[in-house]
mmCIF file of all heavy atoms in Angstrom:
data_model
loop_
_atom_site.group_PDB
_atom_site.id
_atom_site.type_symbol
_atom_site.label_atom_id
_atom_site.label_comp_id
_atom_site.label_asym_id
_atom_site.label_seq_id
_atom_site.Cartn_x
_atom_site.Cartn_y
_atom_site.Cartn_z
ATOM 1 N N LYS A 65 82.315 -40.665 -126.703
ATOM 2 C CA LYS A 65 80.853 -40.811 -126.669
ATOM 3 C C LYS A 65 80.162 -39.984 -125.583
ATOM 4 O O LYS A 65 79.007 -40.233 -125.252
ATOM 5 C CB LYS A 65 80.441 -42.294 -126.549
ATOM 6 C CG LYS A 65 80.952 -43.125 -127.689
ATOM 7 C CD LYS A 65 80.339 -42.650 -128.987
ATOM 8 C CE LYS A 65 81.178 -43.028 -130.171
ATOM 9 N NZ LYS A 65 80.809 -42.264 -131.372
ATOM 10 N N GLY A 67 80.021 -36.646 -125.906
ATOM 11 C CA GLY A 67 79.517 -35.412 -126.510
ATOM 12 C C GLY A 67 80.586 -34.489 -127.055
ATOM 13 O O GLY A 67 80.372 -33.269 -127.161
ATOM 14 N N SER A 68 81.705 -35.061 -127.462
ATOM 15 C CA SER A 68 82.809 -34.263 -127.978
ATOM 16 C C SER A 68 82.412 -33.435 -129.217
ATOM 17 O O SER A 68 82.734 -32.244 -129.318
ATOM 18 C CB SER A 68 83.927 -35.261 -128.288
ATOM 19 O OG SER A 68 84.885 -34.740 -129.072
ATOM 20 N N ASN A 69 81.683 -34.051 -130.137
ATOM 21 C CA ASN A 69 81.279 -33.328 -131.356
ATOM 22 C C ASN A 69 80.283 -32.208 -131.053
ATOM 23 O O ASN A 69 80.225 -31.204 -131.766
ATOM 24 C CB ASN A 69 80.694 -34.306 -132.376
ATOM 25 C CG ASN A 69 81.794 -35.119 -133.018
ATOM 26 O OD1 ASN A 69 82.545 -34.611 -133.846
ATOM 27 N ND2 ASN A 69 81.932 -36.374 -132.605
ATOM 28 N N SER A 148 76.230 -45.801 -126.245
ATOM 29 C CA SER A 148 76.562 -45.044 -127.448
ATOM 30 C C SER A 148 77.800 -45.652 -128.135
ATOM 31 O O SER A 148 77.839 -45.817 -129.367
ATOM 32 C CB SER A 148 76.823 -43.583 -127.058
ATOM 33 O OG SER A 148 77.250 -42.832 -128.158
ATOM 34 N N TYR A 203 76.871 -33.898 -119.621
ATOM 35 C CA TYR A 203 76.040 -34.091 -120.809
ATOM 36 C C TYR A 203 74.567 -33.934 -120.422
ATOM 37 O O TYR A 203 73.795 -33.263 -121.104
ATOM 38 C CB TYR A 203 76.317 -35.503 -121.362
ATOM 39 C CG TYR A 203 75.468 -35.919 -122.531
ATOM 40 C CD1 TYR A 203 75.962 -35.815 -123.833
ATOM 41 C CD2 TYR A 203 74.183 -36.428 -122.354
ATOM 42 C CE1 TYR A 203 75.189 -36.205 -124.919
ATOM 43 C CE2 TYR A 203 73.406 -36.816 -123.425
ATOM 44 C CZ TYR A 203 73.908 -36.703 -124.706
ATOM 45 O OH TYR A 203 73.138 -37.090 -125.777
ATOM 46 N N ARG A 259 73.265 -40.137 -133.136
ATOM 47 C CA ARG A 259 72.385 -41.311 -133.215
ATOM 48 C C ARG A 259 71.026 -41.042 -132.572
ATOM 49 O O ARG A 259 70.002 -41.034 -133.222
ATOM 50 C CB ARG A 259 73.120 -42.485 -132.520
ATOM 51 C CG ARG A 259 72.471 -43.829 -132.629
ATOM 52 C CD ARG A 259 73.243 -44.846 -131.794
ATOM 53 N NE ARG A 259 73.258 -44.477 -130.384
ATOM 54 C CZ ARG A 259 72.401 -44.916 -129.475
ATOM 55 N NH1 ARG A 259 71.467 -45.780 -129.813
ATOM 56 N NH2 ARG A 259 72.471 -44.503 -128.216
ATOM 57 N N LYS A 260 71.019 -40.817 -131.238
ATOM 58 C CA LYS A 260 69.755 -40.608 -130.532
ATOM 59 C C LYS A 260 69.823 -39.403 -129.604
ATOM 60 O O LYS A 260 68.820 -38.750 -129.360
ATOM 61 C CB LYS A 260 69.459 -41.846 -129.664
ATOM 62 C CG LYS A 260 68.557 -42.886 -130.284
ATOM 63 C CD LYS A 260 68.139 -43.862 -129.196
ATOM 64 C CE LYS A 260 67.155 -44.876 -129.707
ATOM 65 N NZ LYS A 260 66.834 -45.862 -128.653
ATOM 66 N N GLY A 261 70.999 -39.191 -129.021
ATOM 67 C CA GLY A 261 71.186 -38.044 -128.128
ATOM 68 C C GLY A 261 70.266 -38.048 -126.927
ATOM 69 O O GLY A 261 69.801 -36.995 -126.498
HETATM 70 N N1 LIG B 1 73.520 -31.749 -129.881
HETATM 71 C C1 LIG B 1 73.531 -32.902 -129.206
HETATM 72 N N2 LIG B 1 72.636 -33.123 -128.217
HETATM 73 C C2 LIG B 1 72.625 -34.283 -127.530
HETATM 74 N N3 LIG B 1 73.493 -35.317 -127.781
HETATM 75 C C3 LIG B 1 74.385 -35.133 -128.763
HETATM 76 C C4 LIG B 1 74.468 -33.934 -129.509
HETATM 77 N N4 LIG B 1 75.475 -34.060 -130.414
HETATM 78 C C5 LIG B 1 75.990 -35.275 -130.246
HETATM 79 N N5 LIG B 1 75.337 -35.934 -129.246
HETATM 80 C C6 LIG B 1 75.543 -37.320 -128.807
HETATM 81 O O1 LIG B 1 76.892 -37.538 -128.347
HETATM 82 C C7 LIG B 1 77.250 -38.905 -128.625
HETATM 83 C C8 LIG B 1 78.519 -38.934 -129.456
HETATM 84 O O2 LIG B 1 79.566 -38.508 -128.620
HETATM 85 P P1 LIG B 1 80.946 -37.963 -129.201
HETATM 86 O O3 LIG B 1 80.692 -36.836 -130.112
HETATM 87 O O4 LIG B 1 81.810 -37.711 -128.024
HETATM 88 O O5 LIG B 1 81.480 -39.216 -130.038
HETATM 89 S S1 LIG B 1 83.002 -39.503 -130.422
HETATM 90 O O6 LIG B 1 83.635 -40.139 -129.245
HETATM 91 O O7 LIG B 1 83.665 -38.241 -130.754
HETATM 92 O O8 LIG B 1 82.920 -40.441 -131.555
HETATM 93 C C9 LIG B 1 76.067 -39.523 -129.376
HETATM 94 O O9 LIG B 1 75.259 -40.165 -128.403
HETATM 95 P P2 LIG B 1 74.197 -41.325 -128.763
HETATM 96 O O10 LIG B 1 73.160 -40.709 -129.619
HETATM 97 O O11 LIG B 1 73.660 -41.763 -127.433
HETATM 98 O O12 LIG B 1 74.955 -42.417 -129.450
HETATM 99 C C10 LIG B 1 75.429 -38.281 -129.976
HETATM 100 O O13 LIG B 1 74.098 -38.434 -130.373
#
Side-chain angles (χ1 to χ4, degrees):
K65 301 297 157 196
S68 165
N69 285 286
S148 175
Y203 175 98
R259 187 185 61 94
K260 265 192 176 176

